[in-house]
Amino acid sequence: MGESSTKPSGYKEYVAGLLAGVATVVIGHPFDTVKVKLQKHNTEVQGIKYRNGLHCTARILATEGVRGLYTGATSSFVGMAFESSLLFGVYSQTKQLLQGGVQSSGPQPQVIIPSAAFGGAIISFVLCPSELVKCRMQVQGTDSLVPKSSSYSSPLDCALKTIKSDGVTGIFRGGSTTLLRESLGNAVFFSVYEYVRYYMHLNTGSSYHSQLTDMGIGILSGGLGGVAFWSAVLPLDVAKTIIQTAPYKSSPTHPFQVLNSIYRRAGLRGCYAGLGPTIVRAFPANAAAIVTWELAMKLLGIKND
């Protein structure tokens, strides 16, 4: 995998991460809109139930057009750019710090897992308000049970109305669930990414890799990492959607309490609501993120160990 600079290079990892975040939203946001609508509608007692992700997508396209699939994308672009910049930057620098400048021959779980979990915990503070606004915007369009009178005209309007009715802490509703999802999920994501990348580089058998080989490895390692992330933490994500889009301030905010009530009402299938579009989104969105990140790191002159 070549010689690597283990000295943290300051801002560059954060710039590469920011570009990865933008790529994630461009590719992944339409899938995310479908996932949120499935989670909201298919766990509710009344209202329309979607048969599957395709049925939901067709409903959105028929009533709102392509623009409907990018509802709430503004807050997503801002949130993901910050979040991705922080996640990849903190992960890279914590990993370098824990390795202590020692060149390792292969992935070290005792370095990868804490670095990824720490990065995940930090970004949850950026992600929580951004995702609250995004989810509340996404659930109010097609087939929504949200009355028109209480709908939001823009992400800013949503944030201000939330703060006005629930106080500043209201914008951080679902914070502990987000922290749990991001810490666990990113430990899984980076472990899968590092191991798949390592073994694929080994099996290509040459120290010289073409741009195309590197991109192929990036697509596969990033895509599989993304699928592993969501397979591991989707029930926590379902709980977070329910907590953040609940109409009443007094609604429960404990993830396991929420999951328990979803399980009683909709079974295991309810706890994995939105699995189809989530997994379908996870591969291309995370592949795009990793390919963009690795390419940006290369262009910025950072060797990725």
Side-chain angles (χ1 to χ4, degrees):
M1 243 160 341
E3 277 306 302
S4 116
S5 152
T6 50
K7 191 165 83 59
S9 39
Y11 70 94
K12 289 181 178 179
E13 284 99 338
Y14 294 91
V15 173
L18 188 140
L19 295 171
V22 171
T24 306
V25 179
V26 171
I27 303 292
H29 193 82
F31 295 102
D32 190 64
T33 300
V34 172
K35 179 204 76 175
V36 169
K37 281 192 181 290
L38 280 171
Q39 289 176 344
K40 181 70 175 167
H41 290 283
N42 288 14
T43 57
E44 294 280 358
V45 179
Q46 71 261 60
I48 186 164
K49 297 275 188 289
Y50 299 114
R51 289 190 299 276
N52 51 40
L54 278 175
H55 176 218
C56 180
T57 307
R59 292 278 310 158
I60 296 167
L61 287 172
T63 54
E64 297 172 72
V66 175
R67 197 175 168 179
L69 290 171
Y70 280 93
T71 313
T74 318
S75 73
S76 239
F77 269 115
V78 176
M80 275 302 286
F82 267 120
E83 176 249 320
S84 209
S85 175
L86 268 177
L87 175 65
F88 284 105
V90 169
Y91 172 71
S92 297
Q93 298 197 332
T94 310
K95 198 173 93 171
Q96 288 163 358
L97 205 69
L98 291 176
Q99 281 172 334
V102 178
Q103 189 78 25
S104 69
S105 57
Q108 299 170 287
Q110 73 276 20
V111 169
I112 296 165
I113 292 168
S115 302
F118 179 53
I122 287 178
I123 60 163
S124 67
F125 294 100
V126 176
L127 261 186
C128 183
S130 149
E131 288 202 356
L132 180 129
V133 169
K134 173 183 70 68
C135 286
R136 290 189 173 188
M137 292 292 292
Q138 285 171 323
V139 298
Q140 70 180 11
T142 306
D143 306 320
S144 177
L145 295 172
V146 179
K148 281 274 180 277
S149 58
S150 64
S151 65
Y152 309 110
S153 59
S154 69
L156 184 63
D157 177 51
C158 175
L160 292 173
K161 279 183 179 169
T162 302
I163 292 168
K164 194 178 173 186
S165 63
D166 302 348
V168 179
T169 54
I171 205 89
F172 284 96
R173 185 182 177 86
S176 60
T177 314
T178 311
L179 188 136
L180 204 55
R181 185 196 74 181
E182 289 302 309
S183 297
L184 288 171
N186 280 298
V188 170
F189 172 79
F190 280 106
S191 297
V192 170
Y193 160 67
E194 296 280 10
Y195 275 96
V196 171
R197 182 176 177 270
Y198 175 71
Y199 285 111
M200 283 192 74
H201 273 296
L202 268 189
N203 291 329
T204 49
S206 156
S207 57
Y208 171 77
H209 297 293
S210 70
Q211 198 74 37
L212 210 59
T213 312
D214 280 349
M215 194 176 277
I217 291 172
I219 288 169
L220 204 63
S221 57
L224 290 175
V227 169
F229 177 109
W230 287 106
S231 302
V233 298
L234 190 67
L236 284 171
D237 187 63
V238 174
K240 185 192 72 70
T241 296
I242 303 304
I243 290 164
Q244 291 189 326
T245 58
Y248 309 110
K249 205 175 169 183
S250 58
S251 304
T253 56
H254 192 289
F256 298 109
Q257 194 182 340
V258 171
L259 278 173
N260 189 33
S261 68
I262 292 170
Y263 182 74
R264 285 204 309 271
R265 193 165 62 243
L268 196 61
R269 192 171 176 174
C271 295
Y272 277 90
L275 180 67
T278 302
I279 295 298
V280 169
R281 167 193 180 273
F283 199 97
N286 286 282
I290 287 296
V291 168
T292 307
W293 182 52
E294 290 188 344
L295 189 63
M297 295 267 278
K298 201 172 282 181
L299 293 174
L300 291 164
I302 309 165
K303 299 257 176 45
N304 183 17
D305 175 34

